[in-house]
């Protein structure tokens, strides 16, 4: 590692999580690396900048965006870290005074989702097919944003709305149901109810069946940065691993608490396998995901 690289600040985009704050506030230092932490509120615009412009050295990244970027040949490598995750049976919602639909009733209907490439939508469509036999193409997906990966083109059963918020699609009766991520459920989705009446139990059953918790946000590094500053990237990874370990007491035993991990594991491999299969079934990617190749690249950081 040259002194020049050591002196060059490293841009690291991390969301505001209990396990990332120690890096940002310096209580867990990144040894011998000057890290800068650009702030975004909300965070998704940073994802698009990373996969379209390679704007940062290291960046938090949604699962679906990572899989699509990898499929499109964007030069990014996965760091084996799960920053956000949970089950998503409660993420498929309707108005409390709306029609009492079963998920199987969505065939032929319209469902709102922020983007067809949103990771929450990936997981929801996955269990819809797996548990209710509803194919992605059985539904018209009405979106309010574009996908992050510029090379991707939406399938014919995806329609763009001119509304700004997914919940507004429900209130305008433009859709029968809406997919909302964890933060949106507590914001614009306040008062909405899940279509799955036993959503928490259904989510736990999914975990039991698959042996993993659905990951929403991972971490990626630009390939050129990994190639030229491997020791610095390792230092960032090790600091984040330490921060995740030191904040373990702040997380409960819920799926969201259990999802946060650092290091390659059988559960991370299973999560990538399942997400990759769902993404292929949904037309988000064109080729099967080679999890062994992802693991091999991740080993460059953890050996």
């Amino acid at each position: 590692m040259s002194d020049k690289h050591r002196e060059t600040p490293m841009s690291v985009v991390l969301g505001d999580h209990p396990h990332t704050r120690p890096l940002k506030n310096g209580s867990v230092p990144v040894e011998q690396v000057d890290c800068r932490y650009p702030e975004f509120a909300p965070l998704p615009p940073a994802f698009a900048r990373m996969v379209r412009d390679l704007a940062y050295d290291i960046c938090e990244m949604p699962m679906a965006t990572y899989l699509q970027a990898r499929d499109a040949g964007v030069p990014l490598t996965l760091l084996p870290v799960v920053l956000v995750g949970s089950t998503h049976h409660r993420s498929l919602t309707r108005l409390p005074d709306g029609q009492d639909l079963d998920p199987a009733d969505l065939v032929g209907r319209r469902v709102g989702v922020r983007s067809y490439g949103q990771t929450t939508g990936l997981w929801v469509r996955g269990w819809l097919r797996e548990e209710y036999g509803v194919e992605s193409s059985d539904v018209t997906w009405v979106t309010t944003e574009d996908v992050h990966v510029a090379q991707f083109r939406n399938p014919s059963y995806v329609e763009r709305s001119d509304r700004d918020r997914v919940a507004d699609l429900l209130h305008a009766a433009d859709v029968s149901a809406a997919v909302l991520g964890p933060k949106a459920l507590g914001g614009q989705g306040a008062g909405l109810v899940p279509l799955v009446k036993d959503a928490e139990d259904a989510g736990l059953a999914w975990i039991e069946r698959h042996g993993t918790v659905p990951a929403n946000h991972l971490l990626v590094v630009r390939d050129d940065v990994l190639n030229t500053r491997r020791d610095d990237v390792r230092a960032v990874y090790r600091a984040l691993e330490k921060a995740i370990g030191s904040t373990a007491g702040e997380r409960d035993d819920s799926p969201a608490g259990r999802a946060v991990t650092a290091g390659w594991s059988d559960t991370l491999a299973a999560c990538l396998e399942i997400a990759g299969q769902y993404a292929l079934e949904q037309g988000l990617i064109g080729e099967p995901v080679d999890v062994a190749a992802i693991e091999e690249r991740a080993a460059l950081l953890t050996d």
Side-chain angles (χ1 to χ4, degrees):
M1 178 65 58
S2 69
D3 291 339
K4 179 181 179 181
H5 278 143
R6 282 290 184 185
E7 294 169 359
T8 303
M10 179 168 281
S11 58
V12 181
V13 176
L14 297 170
D16 184 28
H17 314 299
H19 41 283
T20 59
R21 289 173 200 149
L23 271 71
K24 292 182 175 185
N25 65 26
S27 60
V28 173
V30 179
E31 297 296 337
Q32 299 184 321
V33 183
D34 179 12
C35 288
R36 308 291 171 86
Y37 300 100
E39 293 292 343
F40 290 86
L43 194 55
F47 307 149
R49 289 198 63 194
M50 184 63 170
V51 297
R52 295 184 180 207
D53 304 324
L54 299 176
Y56 315 104
D57 296 318
I58 295 173
C59 189
E60 186 166 330
M61 183 66 56
M63 170 71 85
T65 303
Y66 164 67
L67 294 175
Q68 288 195 291
R70 189 175 187 277
D71 193 62
V74 179
L76 298 173
T77 291
L78 180 72
L79 281 71
V81 176
V82 178
L83 293 167
V84 180
S86 191
T87 56
H88 292 290
H89 287 71
R90 66 189 179 283
S91 298
L92 183 62
T93 65
R94 64 172 177 83
L95 294 172
D97 55 354
Q99 187 176 358
D100 188 5
L101 296 171
D102 184 82
D105 297 329
L106 293 178
V107 173
R109 294 179 182 267
R110 296 162 62 83
V111 176
V113 63
R114 195 184 75 211
S115 162
Y116 190 68
Q118 183 187 17
T119 295
T120 300
L122 165 75
W123 291 119
V124 168
R125 288 188 297 269
W127 64 252
L128 269 175
R129 181 181 191 273
E130 192 174 289
E131 299 172 25
Y132 294 90
V134 178
E135 301 285 349
S136 299
S137 57
D138 291 337
V139 173
T140 297
W141 301 93
V142 183
T143 68
T144 59
E145 294 181 16
D146 293 330
V147 297
H148 298 312
V149 178
Q151 295 91 326
F152 180 74
R153 295 294 177 265
N154 284 323
S156 60
Y157 46 85
V158 176
E159 178 182 308
R160 178 64 183 271
S161 171
D162 59 3
R163 296 186 183 274
D164 296 327
R165 305 191 316 162
V166 175
D168 292 342
L169 297 170
L170 266 179
H171 292 294
D174 193 24
V175 296
S176 300
V179 174
L180 294 172
K183 288 189 176 180
L185 283 172
Q188 61 173 293
L192 301 180
V193 297
L195 268 67
V196 180
K197 296 178 177 58
D198 56 347
E200 297 302 323
D201 288 343
L204 293 175
W206 189 100
I207 292 173
E208 179 69 22
R209 188 163 67 248
H210 291 293
T212 189
V213 178
N216 270 49
H217 289 187
L218 308 168
L219 195 66
V220 298
V221 58
R222 283 183 6 219
D223 284 355
D224 64 309
V225 174
L226 179 58
N227 293 337
T228 59
R229 304 185 65 177
R230 188 168 301 174
D231 289 345
D232 290 351
V233 176
R234 281 176 172 159
V236 174
Y237 167 77
R238 286 170 181 156
L240 191 50
E241 183 179 40
K242 182 177 180 180
I244 288 172
S246 67
T247 56
E250 301 179 37
R251 296 187 292 277
D252 58 23
D253 194 44
S254 68
R258 288 150 52 193
V260 178
T261 58
W264 191 266
S265 64
D266 290 343
T267 55
L268 177 56
C271 188
L272 287 163
E273 287 278 6
I274 297 160
Q277 184 59 40
Y278 284 175
L280 192 63
E281 292 168 353
Q282 297 168 26
L284 287 168
I285 58 176
E287 299 292 335
V289 174
D290 186 345
V291 174
I294 295 173
E295 180 181 6
E296 184 178 355
R297 287 286 290 173
L300 296 174
L301 300 163
T302 56
D303 284 349

